[in-house]
Every structure is written in C-alpha cells, then in structure tokens.
Amino acid sequence: MALSAHSLSNKAFTLTPPILPPSVSSSATTFNFPINNLTDQKALKLSSSTPFSEQSGPSSRTRTSTTTTTTRTNVSFFPAFLTNRKDAKAIKKELLEAIEPLDRGADASPEDQQRVDQITRKLEAANPTKEPLKSNLLNGKWELIYTTSKSILQTQRPKILRSRINYQAINVDALRAQNMESWPFFNQVTADLTPLNSRKVAVKFDVFKIGGLIPIKAPGRARGELEITFLDEDLRVSRGDKGNLFILKMVDPSYRIPSS
C-alpha cells in the first residue's frame, strides 16, 4: 500500500500505507492456565480428611475455610477462560456485521464510526493474545477491511481512482512490514519495525515502489507507530499514533516480504 504526500500526517497504516514524496505525482494509497495441581490436591485432601466438625478452636476453623476458598477459586478459573473465548467469537461476528456495509469505512457516518469503535473496544477487552509481537499469528498478509483513516480510504478521489483492496504484511522475525494497494496503481512501501513493547512498534518506511516496480527512497519523515490491540488466527485490530483504527483479516499466513 502506498501513501500520498498529504497522508503523512496519518503516518503508518499506522502502519499507514505508502506515503509518496511530494515530488512524485501519483494516486498512491495512504496507506496454560496454570492451576497448581499439587496445591489443589493437597487442599482437597485436607478439606475431605479433616472435616470442619472435627476441628477445634478458631485457628482450625479459619484454616479450613481459607483452604476451601482457594480451591474453589482455582477450579473456577478455567471455565471463565472458556467463556471469554466464546464472548470474543460473538463480538467478532457483531463487528464484522457492523462494518460489512460501510465500504471499508468510506461510507461510515460519525454514528457508524462510534458504533464500530464501541464494538471494537469490547473485542479488545477479550484479546486472547496479550503479547502479539511474540506470536506467530501476526506473521503473514492481511487485508484491510475497515479503517477511519481518510487518507487510506482516499475519499477525496472519485471511486474509480481509489485502491480497491489494501494489504499489509508483517514478518515479526525480520521486523519488517509491507503495505500494498491493488488496482489501479499497485503502489507499495516497505518498512522497518522497532518494538516499543510487546504490542507496539515504531515504523520507519524505507522504500516506495511506484506501480510496484519503480523504487524511490522514502523521506525521513515517513514514520509512525502501530499498536496491536487484538490478534487471533483470522482477525487483527490495530490503532495508530494519530488515533485511527485499523481492522484487518488474514488472507495468507505464509506470505514473506521480499528482500529489497
């Protein structure tokens, strides 16, 4: 995906897609659950072998009560996780239904944007991947299905001149990213990633490719930040340093970014 010069303020798809230098005239797109089994077994044995009626004194009463409470808490943790996964699946379905008629966000009204953001925040709260930069689920080619970034959506252009599909690829092991747009211009840009924490990276674009063929060195100001707020096998949610929301679906987990 490529970025137009006016999209620099949006930065990196954020990783915003390619940002073309001002001198280039183009329509580039801006673009586990550890339960201590040994502890539990001891707790259960103590509780069953020394019933409360056989205990004497306040300290025994307190000890038995505490043991029973600890055992109950640990045993109930796993079902809570299963509920969380079930909730995430339902929220994903709700989110996809909300964005389907919005043309990736181009037809979204302020009310639509607010509703999508509210559903997205519910999904982010159920994120199963707490450290996405350490997960192989991040690797591969993703398709942008919704964003609030006007520069990526190219809403100032006639629809015929807007990129039909925008992709973003990430290879965590190489700390590389690539944004690609489809017809009619096929612009691309690649970038280096610098982890800021386990879910956020700084993005520095290095080479734009006009039409996917003609390389142009990216200006120094072509940089931004990207935070991954939800990640599973088929959906990723990211938020950029300018407040824009990006929702993407996985299309090719085996994709590798070509070397420069």
Side-chain angles (χ1 to χ4, degrees):
M1 301 176 228
L3 302 175
S4 55
H6 67 273
S7 68
L8 276 174
S9 59
N10 188 50
K11 295 187 177 179
F13 190 49
T14 319
L15 271 100
T16 303
I19 308 171
L20 293 178
S23 60
V24 179
S25 176
S26 170
S27 51
T29 306
T30 316
F31 156 164
N32 26 340
F33 296 95
I35 297 178
N36 191 327
N37 292 329
L38 182 58
T39 300
D40 291 346
Q41 290 169 9
K42 287 182 177 179
L44 289 170
K45 182 177 180 181
L46 177 60
S47 179
S48 61
S49 63
T50 54
F52 179 76
S53 61
E54 295 180 7
Q55 304 298 322
S56 61
S59 60
S60 298
R61 185 185 305 267
T62 301
R63 179 169 59 252
T64 302
S65 177
T66 302
T67 299
T68 303
T69 300
T70 302
T71 302
R72 184 184 303 115
T73 300
N74 286 335
V75 171
S76 64
F77 181 77
F78 188 70
F81 164 72
L82 294 179
T83 301
N84 194 53
R85 289 289 296 269
K86 184 177 180 180
D87 288 346
K89 184 176 181 179
I91 298 170
K92 279 173 60 177
K93 183 175 184 294
E94 181 184 6
L95 179 60
L96 294 174
E97 289 175 349
I99 66 179
E100 183 178 7
L102 301 180
D103 189 18
R104 300 186 304 156
D107 294 339
S109 66
E111 292 76 17
D112 291 326
Q113 291 183 344
Q114 183 178 18
R115 178 169 180 259
V116 170
D117 189 74
Q118 288 173 344
I119 300 173
T120 301
R121 291 186 184 279
K122 290 194 299 180
L123 185 63
E124 290 169 328
N127 182 19
T129 311
K130 303 305 180 183
E131 297 184 312
L133 290 177
K134 297 180 180 181
S135 173
N136 287 330
L137 294 176
L138 189 55
N139 288 317
K141 187 176 182 179
W142 301 81
E143 179 185 339
L144 180 70
I145 58 175
Y146 177 86
T147 184
T148 56
S149 172
K150 292 183 179 180
S151 55
I152 291 177
L153 293 170
Q154 305 171 335
T155 53
Q156 79 285 0
R157 301 178 184 176
K159 282 194 174 184
I160 195 173
L161 296 179
R162 301 177 192 173
S163 174
R164 295 293 182 267
I165 305 176
N166 289 50
Y167 298 103
Q168 183 178 82
I170 297 179
N171 291 158
V172 181
D173 56 342
L175 290 176
R176 292 286 287 168
Q178 179 187 27
N179 292 337
M180 300 158 277
E181 67 176 31
S182 65
W183 191 90
F185 300 108
F186 301 96
N187 295 312
Q188 301 179 16
V189 65
T190 51
D192 287 323
L193 307 178
T194 301
L196 301 177
N197 55 44
S198 62
R199 48 186 271 163
K200 188 175 185 179
V201 293
V203 184
K204 185 180 185 303
F205 293 105
D206 49 20
V207 177
F208 295 102
K209 284 190 177 181
I210 309 304
L213 298 172
I214 305 172
I216 296 178
K217 185 178 180 179
R221 67 182 186 277
R223 58 181 68 221
E225 294 181 0
L226 182 73
E227 182 173 14
I228 300 154
T229 57
F230 180 90
L231 177 66
D232 68 7
E233 295 84 356
D234 51 31
L235 196 72
R236 171 162 64 92
V237 177
S238 300
R239 292 184 183 270
D241 55 343
K242 294 300 180 182
N244 282 307
L245 172 64
F246 306 92
I247 302 175
L248 307 93
K249 67 177 182 179
M250 172 58 71
V251 293
D252 184 0
S254 66
Y255 181 86
R256 298 295 299 178
I257 299 169
S259 57
S260 300

